[in-house]
Amino acid sequence: MRRHGERFAVLMLILAVIIAACARRPQLMQAAAPAPTGAAVTEPSKPELPAPVAPPSSPPPAVATAPPAAAPPPPAPVLPAPAQFREVPGLKAIYFDFDKSVIRPDAARILDANIDWMKSNPDALILIEGHCDERGTNEYNLALGDRRAKATMDYLTARGIAGARFTTISYGEERPVCAGHTAVCWDRNRRAHFLTKAR
């Protein structure tokens, strides 16, 4: 009986050794590099890299160029001097209300008659003078006389008379036809007066 126990113990010990041996994994051994000999060892060649490419250069700065010069304005037509114009019976003056440059209905009828004369005399150049009464400053009256002359010209050109035939000038209060300081004289002095000249 005792022998059976010893055999059993020996078998168990052998079995334990076998199991332990199976459970072990073999260790991998790294081979050591051979010791260098006298022969020259060449390093493996490195791959050749492409030559560096320069970054694209920025475009050259734009050279500022001056804008093309504007064409000079056409020369103003040479207008005849007022002294070259003469009064003609066929053209009548028109009159304005105080401090106004609006063509009144009675003035429009006179201008319509003047248009007939202008159409019958197509070679006549026309000077329109703008005048004022004595009230107001010289500067104001010169500007008002200019508005009156231009309003008269606008009326005539709107009805077919060529604008190139006209010259306008303002005398303000400087050339009254009536020297009195009354309402009657003031009414006569607020006017657009016509003079003509042959081409």
Side-chain angles (χ1 to χ4, degrees), residues 84-162:
Q84 299 175 359
F85 290 86
R86 300 287 177 259
E87 196 162 345
V88 295
L91 294 176
K92 306 294 185 189
I94 62 169
Y95 298 91
F96 294 88
D97 291 332
F98 173 68
D99 198 26
K100 303 289 185 196
S101 59
V102 177
I103 305 297
R104 303 185 318 203
D106 61 321
R109 288 189 292 275
I110 294 169
L111 289 178
D112 291 341
N114 287 350
I115 288 171
D116 291 339
W117 184 93
M118 292 173 193
K119 287 181 178 178
S120 299
N121 297 274
D123 290 334
L125 300 177
I126 299 145
L127 173 67
I128 305 174
E129 299 175 340
H131 297 274
C132 301
D133 64 36
E134 63 185 343
R135 295 171 291 178
T137 65
N138 288 339
E139 293 79 10
Y140 182 83
N141 284 335
L142 282 170
L144 179 58
D146 185 61
R147 292 196 301 274
R148 287 173 175 168
K150 287 181 176 170
T152 303
M153 182 181 75
D154 290 344
Y155 183 95
L156 297 169
T157 56
R159 283 152 183 80
I161 306 300

